[in-house]
Amino acid sequence: MTLNSALYSGSVMHRRVRPVLHVLRYRVFWLLLDIDEIDELAKTLWLFSRNRFNALCFCDRDHGDGGTASLRAQILGHLSQANVQAEGKILLLSMPRIFGYVFNPLSLYFCHDTKNQLKAMVYEVHNTFGERHSYVIPINGGGASINQECEKAFYVSPFLGMDLRYSFSVAPPGRGINVSIRAHDNAGLVILTALSGARRALTDGSLLSALFAFPFLTVKVMAAIHWHALRLYFKGLKVHAHSSAALRHRDLPVRKST
């Protein structure tokens, strides 16, 4: 059986250019999961489970709205609201729970139609306040790279205001994956985030190798977020309050793709 699911190992970089220069880089691995293959993977892999403790685990509540509806149903609901017909395979790129803990700042859903054409991206953002928000952006046309834009609609960092616009550039998963996200205000670029990784088959051997290469990865990601937040605070960056006013854009249309 040929699987769509795979493992990608690589790195993430954040580069803030204003009002101070600050760079964060760390090594990471992700699982690319065909959401219809997760149960089969849990049956065949010793180190991977679904909704139960293991070295690596996929928990449904970590994704979507955390409710009881299936993840496929939730994503199809998002796509329907965006007037997108994409009822084929859905690939999710995210970090798994590792020894029971996970935090995914960003999860990516690659949504295909029944002819295996990529029709939409869903960018699921998590903040450290336990909140989630999904940007659903249709894809118009084909090409090796996907370029999309949307208005910021969700509070993420206390050092970033809400009056920003995101630009996404995505090379869909193949032998490698590359994603860059730029946040702009009226004066230009504020911060650039980029991730890249190389593909490996999803086996117990590759999972064990990833665990040794990136031990306690998800804990380290959360620790790095808070450590660099402290450094930014002492660099004097303005703190933007987390309030209902700061979330005023959440329900605005955010769809644009080129």
Side-chain angles (χ1 to χ4, degrees):
M1 174 178 164
T2 301
L3 297 176
N4 295 315
S5 302
L7 182 150
Y8 284 83
S9 59
S11 63
V12 173
M13 183 274 293
H14 300 267
R15 181 180 179 88
R16 177 186 282 270
V17 298
R18 289 190 293 113
V20 297
L21 179 64
H22 186 84
V23 180
L24 160 63
R25 182 179 287 105
Y26 52 91
R27 298 172 63 235
V28 66
F29 76 90
W30 306 267
L31 299 186
L32 179 75
L33 298 174
D34 183 323
I35 64 173
D36 293 327
E37 294 178 351
I38 296 173
D39 286 333
E40 183 64 26
L41 290 167
K43 291 177 183 177
T44 57
L45 296 173
W46 286 93
L47 295 174
F48 176 81
S49 299
R50 182 172 194 168
N51 294 327
R52 67 179 181 84
F53 183 83
N54 203 335
L56 299 103
C57 170
F58 177 89
C59 287
D60 292 78
R61 68 179 182 273
D62 296 334
H63 306 277
D65 64 10
T68 57
S70 72
L71 189 55
R72 170 171 279 276
Q74 291 185 49
I75 297 302
L76 290 179
H78 287 316
L79 297 175
S80 177
Q81 291 177 8
N83 297 314
V84 176
Q85 295 295 317
E87 297 184 352
K89 69 182 178 184
I90 299 174
L91 303 179
L92 166 61
L93 184 78
S94 67
M95 289 182 288
R97 282 185 175 261
I98 300 177
F99 299 112
Y101 182 79
V102 70
F103 178 71
N104 272 294
L106 175 67
S107 296
L108 303 177
Y109 297 82
F110 299 84
C111 305
H112 300 74
D113 64 14
T114 55
K115 296 180 180 179
N116 204 33
Q117 295 296 308
L118 188 57
K119 303 299 289 185
M121 293 292 303
V122 178
Y123 302 89
E124 184 179 277
V125 184
H126 295 220
N127 65 21
T128 55
F129 302 93
E131 299 165 329
R132 306 174 190 176
H133 180 76
S134 292
Y135 298 93
V136 184
I137 312 181
I139 295 170
N140 299 319
S145 180
I146 301 163
N147 297 295
Q148 300 176 307
E149 295 181 353
C150 70
E151 301 292 337
K152 182 179 180 180
F154 179 63
Y155 183 97
V156 180
S157 166
F159 304 107
L160 289 170
M162 293 297 295
D163 295 324
L164 294 174
R165 184 168 186 80
Y166 293 132
S167 298
F168 304 94
S169 180
V170 181
R175 295 178 63 183
I177 187 168
N178 291 278
V179 178
S180 67
I181 305 170
R182 292 172 171 83
H184 302 261
D185 62 14
N186 290 334
L189 180 66
V190 177
I191 189 170
L192 165 66
T193 299
L195 66 86
S196 62
R199 185 182 181 109
R200 298 183 62 185
L202 187 50
T203 65
D204 279 310
S206 64
L207 291 176
L208 186 62
S209 177
L211 285 172
F212 276 107
F214 309 93
F216 301 103
L217 170 65
T218 50
V219 173
K220 290 180 178 179
V221 168
M222 180 62 86
I225 289 171
H226 287 89
W227 168 241
H228 284 273
L230 184 64
R231 292 180 61 190
L232 289 170
Y233 178 79
F234 283 111
K235 286 184 176 181
L237 266 67
K238 176 183 177 181
V239 175
H240 299 266
H242 181 205
S243 65
S244 58
L247 296 171
R248 64 190 181 278
H249 299 303
R250 293 186 66 166
D251 299 321
L252 291 176
V254 294
R255 325 208 198 299
K256 184 176 181 182
S257 177
T258 58

